[in-house]
Amino acid sequence: EDENPVEENEPADEEIDYPIIGENTITTASGEVLTYTHTMTVEATAYTKTDAGCDDWTATGTLARYGAIAVDPSVIPYGTRMYIVSWDGSVVYGYATAEDCGGAINGARVDLYYDTYTESCLNGRRTVNIYILD
């Protein structure tokens, strides 16, 4: 007789897709739990420094880098911290701070900065959910 019998109805190990979005909380892949106050669904465009008109510096005087995104400051004020995930959950941009404004950013649009041209091209334009962090 088997010393460690396996129950026939035991649940299979499930692969969890991260982040896990709950009511006012997000659990990241590393297990960190973030709290958010509200969400927005916006159109996002990927960009990098090699794109025409892009600079090394943001409108707020910080260095352009992954996580420093361009917003319409009348919609999302500079300095706003957020967590960004594509609407279908397939792409996690992650932590971001509103630090720049692009020429085509009006209303519910953002530009997501990527470190390389290849990453920028791969991410293109998509609808994202923005979770405004506490």
Side-chain angles (χ1 to χ4, degrees), residues 11-93:
D13 289 337
E14 291 182 27
E15 185 175 317
I16 298 174
D17 290 330
Y18 285 97
I20 299 171
I21 310 295
E23 186 174 332
N24 295 328
T25 64
I26 300 168
T27 304
T28 67
S30 67
E32 184 177 7
V33 178
L34 311 172
T35 57
Y36 64 91
T37 57
H38 63 283
T39 64
M40 301 172 66
T41 300
V42 303
E43 188 72 18
T45 304
Y47 79 105
T48 192
K49 282 188 261 190
T50 59
D51 292 337
C54 291
D55 195 329
D56 285 343
W57 301 99
T58 67
T60 59
T62 62
L63 187 62
R65 67 197 181 289
Y66 190 91
I69 68 166
V71 300
D72 177 339
S74 70
V75 176
I76 302 173
Y78 289 139
T80 299
R81 293 177 45 248
M82 60 202 91
Y83 196 84
I84 301 174
V85 181
S86 65
W87 71 272
D88 64 359
S90 65
V91 176
V92 176
Y93 186 80

Side-chain angles (χ1 to χ4, degrees), residues 95-130:
Y95 288 104
T97 305
E99 297 182 19
D100 204 4
C101 66
I105 302 297
N106 290 312
R109 294 181 47 105
V110 297
D111 281 351
L112 303 179
Y113 184 87
Y114 286 89
D115 290 324
T116 68
Y117 180 74
T118 300
E119 289 173 303
S120 177
C121 289
L122 288 172
N123 287 284
R125 184 176 300 206
R126 66 183 71 237
T127 302
V128 298
N129 292 327
I130 294 178

Side-chain angles (χ1 to χ4, degrees), residues 5-11:
V6 175
E7 293 287 329
E8 287 184 33
N9 295 327
E10 277 187 33

